[in-house]
Amino acid sequence: MAFRWAGRFLALVAVITAGPASSLAADNVDFLRDVKPILAQRCFRCHSSLEQEGNLRLDSVPAILKGGDGGAIVVPGKGSDSRLLAAVERHGDLKMPPEGESLNEKQIAVLRAWIDAGAPAPPPDAVAKPSHWSFQKPVRPAVPQVADPAWSANPIDAFIATKHAELKLAPVGEAPRNLLLRRIYIDLIGLPPTPDQLAETADYEDIVDHLLASPQYGERWGRHWMDVWRYSDWDGYKAEIRESQPHIWRWRDWIVESLNDDKPYDRMVQEMLAADELSPTDNNALRATGYLVRSWYKFNRNKWLDDAIEHTGKAFLGLTFNCCRCHDHMYDPLSQREYYSLRAFFEPYDVRTDRLPGEPDTTKAGLVRVFDGKPEAPTFLFVRGNDKNALTDEPIKPAVPALFGDIPCSVESLQLPQASWQPSSVQFVRDDILAAGQKEIEKAKAAIATAKSKFDEALQKAVNISPSPESRVPSPHPALVDADAQIALAEINLRLAEANLAINELRLLADDAALATPSKASARALAEAAARAERDLSVLQAKKGVLQAEINLTTARRNKKDGDVRSLNVLTAAENGIVAAVKARGDVIEALEKPLGDYTHFAPIYPQTSTGRRLALARWITAPDNPLAARVAINHIWLRHFGTPLAPTVFDFGLNGKPPTNQPLLDWLATELISNGWRMKPIHKLIVTSRTYRLASSTLNLELGTLNSSIDPENLYYWRANPHRMEAEAVRDATLFLAGSLDLTRGGPDIDQTQGLTNPRRSLYFRNA
C-alpha cells in the first residue's frame, strides 16, 4: 500500500542533544524531551493541530499510532518496519522532508530508538523538560585563562579571545582615541563629543563614569528600551482614542528617570507589570504601568490582552507565546492551554486616569495607569483562537508554562490602601475639586457684574433715542433686550456653580459615610440628599437650556433677511432648538415625580482588592532562577553596543531561534547582571571598557583582514568593531547639538511631530504613534 503522506515537512536545522546512533539506548529516549522537538521542527507545519495533510498528525503519541489516510506509520517495537523511518531515511519513493536537508543521523537514531522501545507515550501529566540551552538556568562559567595580558584584564575579553583562538582569528588593533571617544559618546548619551571634549586628556574610564552619570544617558538608553517595550503615544481618529492613552508620556519619563537612577532591571520589569500592586500609592512608580496601558485597544479587548501576552513574552523572556493562541506551539514545548493560563494573569486588568495635584480635569493632565478592574473575569480557551468559540465550561486559572514548573509562582490577592481604591480620600483631590468649584462661583459673579455694566450702557443709549413720531408705543431697544437676557443667563450660571459646589460637598460626605468601616448611620440620608441635589441641578440646567434657546431665537429673528438662505437656516435651527429645550425641561420636570435614584460618587470607586496575579507573574519573570530574563536583557544591551547580538534572534530564544555565538559569555554576563542586583550601569561600563569594544572597525593590514574575513565574514566573533549607522533621531539630535541649539530640557508631554523643524527638543520627546 502506498504511503500517503501528501504534505511537506518544514526543512529546518534541528537542535537536539541526543548522542550518536551507536551509543543511544532505547530505554533512555523520552518522547517529550527527545522525539517531539524533532517532529515539531521538521513536521508540525503540515502534520499537527495547525494542519493535517493526509489526515496525519504527529504532535502526540496517540495521533502518531493512529496514522493517516495511508494507514499506520509506526509499528511499535519494529523501527525497520515503520514507514516513518523509511520516509525520513529517504528509502523508496517517499522522501521526507521533500525539500532541504534530510534528518541527520542523530535525529534518525532518536526516532528509531523510540520506536524500537515500543513508541511509549509519556504519562498524562508528564511535562517536557527540553535540554535546549535557553531553558536551562544560566550557570556562571569560569572566566577563561588567556595568556595575553591585554585580553585577560576584562572578563569579556577573555571569553572573546578564547573564541578568537579557537577559530584562529587575529583581532585588529584599538581604534584611535578620537574615534573611540565619538563611539562612547554616541553609545552612552546619543550626542557626539564637542571639540573640547575630544581634546580631553582625562582617563578613559573617568570619561565613561562621567557619561553614565549624565542625565542624557537615560534619554539615550530610554529610547532603546522604549523600542524593546513598544512605547507609543495614543492613536485614534481626530479626538477619538483608539489605541494607547493620553498622558502615557509619563511612562517614557519614568523609563528615562529609572535608567538615570540605575534602578535595577528586575524592579523596572516588576513596576511595569504590576506597580499598582507593588506600590499602589506611589504615583512615580504607577507611571511604569504605561507598559500595559500601551496595549489598550478600544474595539477589541481580546486583541488588547493578546498584545499584552505577546509582547511580555518577547520583551522579557524572548519567547513567542503568541504562536500558541490558536494551537500548540509548533516548536517550543508550550501548549495552547498554557497560552490562556498566561492570559489569566492579565484578564482582570483595566486602565484608568487618576487626577494629579493642581489639575482636576484629567483630559488636560492626569496619570494613566492600570488596575484590576475586572477581578472576577473568567478566562476561557478559544478553539483555534476564535473568541466566538470559547470553552465556557472550562475556566482557566493563571499558571506559568509547565516548562518552567520548577520556578515558584504564587498568586495572592492584595488588600489595597484606601487612597488607591477611593481617590477622593486623597486630600489634594478634594482640595482641587472644591477650589475649582469656588473658582467657578467667582467667575460667575464677575460675569453678572459685567452683564449688568453692559445693561447700564445699553439703557443709557436707549433713553437718548427718541421714538419716531409714527410710533405710539416704542419697542425696547435690541441692545437693551440682549443685555437683560445676558444678566439672566449670568445669574443662572451663578446658581449652577453654587449648586455644583454644594453637590460635590454632599458627595464627599456621602462617600465617606458609605465607605467607612463600618458605614456610618448617616450614610443613607446623605446619599438621598446628594441625589436630591443632583436632581435639582438638572432642573437648573434645563432652565438654562430654555433661556439660551430663547436668546438664540431672538437673535435669529432679528437677523433674518428675506431671501437670505443662510439667515433662514439659522432661524430654523433656533426654532428647533427652542422646541428641544422646552421638551428637555418637560422631561426633567416629569422625572421629579419618580423615586430618587443613586447619587454620583465624588470620584470613581475602584475595587478594594487586587488579584495579585500580575505581581506574581512579574516576580516569576525576574526570579534569579528564571533562565531567560537576564539573558534577554543582556542580549539587548550587547546588540546596541556592538551592532549585533550574542543570540541572533533577540525575540526568540526558543527551539526555532538561533543559538548564541558565544553562550559562555552570554551566561557570564547574565549572572553578572543578577549578582550586581540587576543594575545595568556596571554592565555598560564593563562592556565599553573592554578591549573588544575598543577595537577599530577596519584594519590597514589587508592580509590580516582577508584571513579574518575568510573565517568569520560577518564578524560574529568580534575580531573588529562593527560600524553601524546612527538612527535618524540621533542624527537630528547631533546636528542640533553641534550647532549649539539643542534644547536639553528633560521630560514633559509629547510634542507634535510637525514641530520637528522648529522645536529644538531631543527627538525622544516628539509624539510617537
Side-chain angles (χ1 to χ4, degrees), residues 113 295 432 643 752:
S295 294
D432 284 351
D752 193 278

Side-chain angles (χ1 to χ4, degrees), residues 441-727:
I441 290 174
E442 298 305 319
K443 180 180 175 182
K445 288 179 178 178
I448 290 176
T450 300
K452 287 182 176 180
S453 176
K454 289 184 177 180
F455 178 86
D456 291 342
E457 293 175 5
L459 181 62
Q460 185 63 41
K461 290 180 181 179
V463 298
N464 291 333
I465 299 175
S466 302
S468 61
E470 297 84 6
S471 177
R472 297 181 179 179
V473 181
S475 299
H477 193 274
L480 196 59
V481 172
D482 292 346
D484 186 52
Q486 290 303 316
I487 291 176
L489 189 62
E491 287 176 341
I492 202 168
N493 279 335
L494 174 60
R495 293 175 62 192
L496 282 169
E498 292 170 338
N500 270 315
L501 179 59
I503 286 171
N504 277 329
E505 291 172 337
L506 276 172
R507 286 170 175 164
L508 265 177
L509 291 171
D511 281 352
D512 289 346
L515 296 172
T517 306
S519 61
K520 297 180 180 178
S522 59
R524 182 173 180 180
L526 286 169
E528 289 180 354
R532 186 174 291 106
E534 288 179 352
R535 193 168 67 175
D536 293 343
L537 178 66
S538 67
V539 174
L540 270 177
Q541 290 170 332
K543 287 182 178 179
K544 177 183 175 180
V546 172
L547 177 58
Q548 185 64 64
E550 289 174 346
I551 292 172
N552 294 342
L553 181 60
T554 299
T555 302
R557 284 174 174 169
R558 184 185 303 139
N559 294 335
K560 180 180 74 69
K561 298 177 181 178
D562 293 338
D564 182 359
V565 176
R566 183 175 181 180
S567 65
L568 291 174
N569 288 340
V570 171
L571 177 59
T572 301
E575 290 170 343
N576 292 337
I578 193 71
V579 171
V582 171
K583 182 180 182 304
R585 181 178 62 183
D587 292 342
V588 169
I589 293 173
E590 183 180 343
L592 297 178
E593 300 175 1
K594 298 179 181 179
L596 281 173
D598 294 332
Y599 75 98
T600 303
H601 292 293
F602 180 84
I605 306 299
Y606 300 105
Q608 297 185 22
T609 60
S610 193
T611 64
R613 295 182 187 182
R614 285 177 285 107
L615 181 56
L617 179 65
R619 285 174 170 162
W620 172 80
I621 288 173
T622 55
D625 287 342
N626 191 300
L628 291 167
R631 282 175 169 143
V632 169
I634 287 295
N635 203 42
H636 280 296
I637 292 172
W638 185 275
L639 164 63
R640 284 154 181 85
H641 278 305
F642 289 94
T644 57
L646 288 170
T649 45
V650 292
F651 290 119
D652 189 357
F653 274 44
L655 295 175
N656 196 39
K658 295 182 179 180
T661 54
N662 195 326
Q663 188 186 337
L665 173 56
L666 178 61
D667 286 355
W668 190 90
L669 286 170
T671 56
E672 180 72 4
L673 176 65
I674 296 172
S675 66
N676 274 334
W678 295 86
R679 293 171 55 235
M680 288 185 277
K681 284 188 178 182
I683 297 295
H684 287 297
K685 182 173 182 179
L686 193 65
I687 288 174
V688 301
T689 55
S690 70
R691 185 175 180 85
T692 306
Y693 178 84
R694 291 183 287 180
L695 291 176
S697 59
S698 61
T699 177
L700 298 178
N701 187 329
L702 297 180
E703 182 180 352
L704 176 63
T706 301
L707 176 63
N708 284 335
S709 295
S710 67
I711 299 171
D712 180 21
E714 297 181 29
N715 192 35
L716 298 177
Y717 300 98
Y718 306 102
W719 52 270
R720 62 177 175 83
N722 285 313
H724 44 286
R725 292 182 177 179
M726 292 170 61
E727 315 91 288

Side-chain angles (χ1 to χ4, degrees), residues 184-196:
I184 193 66
Y185 269 81
I186 295 294
D187 267 8
L188 290 184
I189 66 171
L191 299 173
T194 64
D196 289 343

Side-chain angles (χ1 to χ4, degrees), residues 715-753:
N715 192 35
L716 298 177
Y717 300 98
Y718 306 102
W719 52 270
R720 62 177 175 83
N722 285 313
H724 44 286
R725 292 182 177 179
M726 292 170 61
E727 315 91 288
E729 290 185 356
V731 170
R732 175 185 176 275
D733 292 347
T735 302
L736 291 172
F737 178 72
L738 292 175
S741 58
L742 182 65
D743 182 353
L744 292 177
T745 302
R746 295 190 303 280
D750 49 290
I751 305 166
D752 193 278
Q753 304 99 315

Side-chain angles (χ1 to χ4, degrees), residues 298-318:
K298 177 178 181 178
F299 302 114
N300 190 323
R301 182 168 173 82
N302 289 319
K303 180 186 182 303
W304 167 1
L305 295 182
D306 288 340
D307 282 352
I309 299 163
E310 174 183 354
H311 296 288
T312 294
K314 289 178 177 177
F316 305 133
L317 295 170

Side-chain angles (χ1 to χ4, degrees), residues 74-238:
V74 164
V75 180
K78 298 181 179 180
S80 58
D81 294 339
S82 298
R83 289 182 289 171
L84 173 61
L85 278 179
V88 298
E89 289 179 333
R90 301 198 169 193
H91 294 160
D93 296 335
L94 187 63
K95 296 177 175 59
M96 292 293 171
E99 299 174 355
E101 297 181 13
S102 61
L103 270 66
N104 60 43
E105 290 183 5
K106 291 182 180 180
Q107 295 168 328
I108 294 172
V110 169
L111 297 179
R112 182 180 295 280
W114 174 67
I115 296 172
D116 286 343
D125 58 348
V127 176
K129 296 290 185 182
S131 54
H132 189 254
W133 69 270
S134 71
F135 299 147
Q136 311 303 313
K137 176 185 174 181
V139 177
R140 189 179 184 89
V143 177
Q145 296 297 313
V146 179
D148 186 347
W151 286 87
S152 60
N154 186 307
I156 291 174
D157 293 331
F159 284 102
I160 293 294
T162 300
K163 274 291 182 183
H164 288 170
E166 177 186 329
L167 299 171
K168 296 181 172 52
L169 290 167
V172 302
E174 184 170 306
R177 181 177 172 86
N178 63 325
L179 294 182
L180 185 57
L181 288 180
R182 176 177 170 78
R183 181 184 300 170
I184 193 66
Y185 269 81
I186 295 294
D187 267 8
L188 290 184
I189 66 171
L191 299 173
T194 64
D196 289 343
Q197 289 167 336
L198 282 175
E200 282 183 359
T201 58
D203 181 77
Y204 178 75
E205 287 199 20
D206 291 341
I207 295 174
V208 169
D209 289 337
H210 171 73
L211 294 175
L212 287 172
S214 165
Q216 281 74 55
Y217 156 77
E219 293 175 319
R220 174 56 166 167
W221 280 84
R223 176 70 270 173
H224 290 324
W225 287 113
M226 285 162 62
D227 290 341
V228 176
W229 297 329
R230 220 169 55 105
Y231 175 87
S232 174
D233 294 296
W234 72 272
D235 191 23
Y237 178 71
K238 296 183 178 179

Side-chain angles (χ1 to χ4, degrees), residues 49-69:
S49 59
L50 180 66
E51 184 71 34
Q52 303 93 41
E53 293 195 16
N55 285 321
L56 176 66
R57 288 182 61 168
L58 300 175
D59 50 359
S60 71
V61 173
I64 293 171
L65 296 179
K66 179 182 177 182
D69 290 343

